């Protein structure tokens, strides 16, 4: 993880069209949306309203009336793992999807229109990590940032950074900033000099049951208190809260097993 502050849009409303490559939305597909709504509603203070239904039942999570994330329902006959998925902005999803294929990735869903909201595709990088691409129309993405209950950072956990970083550089135009002062295999993805996401190569430490995957960090007022609440709500602690250079971080999972991180403090 790296320091993602420093952007004037980092705190407050961010309901503006994003530059291509900017993380603009996070979405979760689950088997039991009603129970999932209750869990995240209690944890983050979210409320829900219906969203586009092109991929089945789907709701947008609202924080003080502003959209922050989406939760959809997996088909009953598909026993897929639940996971938070980041979406990256694109001016042309069709062209981005073709670039994904040409660079060794896979496009599993779309491109398709999500009603009047925009156009989307779901794909995976050459190592298998799933991500989305969003071409905004009426729906521009997450409408608020920098307050508890909002996505704060997206980080790819993968085997090694070199090849997969080149993939994201080519597909989305990121500038790559590898760490050189530590032994960590870490690359920060930048746009216009601003950090927007990270890639962490963890080698054999990558959970075999998950494989390479994107991890979403959600901002909270107090990581320790949020962990206690999460456990009371039926969630699971994967890595207890600990101090990092970017704040206090805990890695957790919701009752269906979707992994995410809680982040509090100055970063």
């Amino acid at each position: 993880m790296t320091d993602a502050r420093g952007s004037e849009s980092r705190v407050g409303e961010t309901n503006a069209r994003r530059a291509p490559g900017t993380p603009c939305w996070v979405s979760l597909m689950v088997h039991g949306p009603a129970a999932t709504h209750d869990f995240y509603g209690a944890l983050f203070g979210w409320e829900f309203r219906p969203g586009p239904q092109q991929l089945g039942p789907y709701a947008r999570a609202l924080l003080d009336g502003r959209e922050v994330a989406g939760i959809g329902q997996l088909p009953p006959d598909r026993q897929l793992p639940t996971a938070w998925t980041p979406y990256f902005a694109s001016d042309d999803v069709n062209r981005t999807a073709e670039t994904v294929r040409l660079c060794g990735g896979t496009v599993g869903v779309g491109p398709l229109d999500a009603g009047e909201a925009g156009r989307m595709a779901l794909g995976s990088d050459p190592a298998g990590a799933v991500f989305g691409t969003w071409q905004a129309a009426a729906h521009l993405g997450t409408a608020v940032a920098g307050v508890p209950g909002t996505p704060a950072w997206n980080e790819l956990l993968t085997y090694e950074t070199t090849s997969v970083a080149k993939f994201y550089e080519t597909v989305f135009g990121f500038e790559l900033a590898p760490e050189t002062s530590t032994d960590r295999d870490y690359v920060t993805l930048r746009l216009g000099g601003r950090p927007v996401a990270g890639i962490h190569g963890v080698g054999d430490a990558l959970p075999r049951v998950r494989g390479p995957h994107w991890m979403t960090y959600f901002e909270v007022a107090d990581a320790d208190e949020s962990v206690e609440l999460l456990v009371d709500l039926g969630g699971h602690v994967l890595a207890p809260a600990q101090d990092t250079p970017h704040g206090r971080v805990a890695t957790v999972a919701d009752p269906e097993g979707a992994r995410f991180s809680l982040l509090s403090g100055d970063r």
Side-chain angles (χ1 to χ4, degrees), residues 159-175:
Y159 297 109
E160 54 83 28
T161 63
T162 303
S163 59
V164 75
K166 295 297 292 185
F167 168 84
Y168 287 99
E169 178 186 32
T170 303
V171 172
F172 292 113
F174 294 126
E175 306 143 16

Side-chain angles (χ1 to χ4, degrees), residues 17 29 44 46 49 56 68 160 176 214 229 251 260 263:
R17 189 171 296 277
M29 300 296 287
F44 293 141
W46 291 351
R49 71 180 176 202
V68 293
E160 54 83 28
L176 306 182
W214 281 92
L229 175 58
T251 303
F260 59 100
L263 168 68

Side-chain angles (χ1 to χ4, degrees), residues 15 25-26 37 40-51 58-71 84 139 141-144 147-151 218:
N15 203 15
W25 189 245
V26 291
H37 292 177
Y40 285 101
L43 183 64
F44 293 141
W46 291 351
E47 298 176 335
F48 295 88
R49 71 180 176 202
Y58 188 82
R60 291 180 181 155
L62 308 179
L63 185 66
D64 296 328
R66 292 172 290 184
E67 296 171 347
V68 293
I71 295 178
W84 280 102
H139 175 63
T142 303
V144 62
V147 297
T150 61
F218 290 96

Side-chain angles (χ1 to χ4, degrees), residues 107 124 232:
V107 178
S124 57
D232 289 342

Side-chain angles (χ1 to χ4, degrees), residues 244-255:
T244 76
H246 315 292
R248 194 156 175 81
V249 176
T251 303
V252 297
D254 68 20

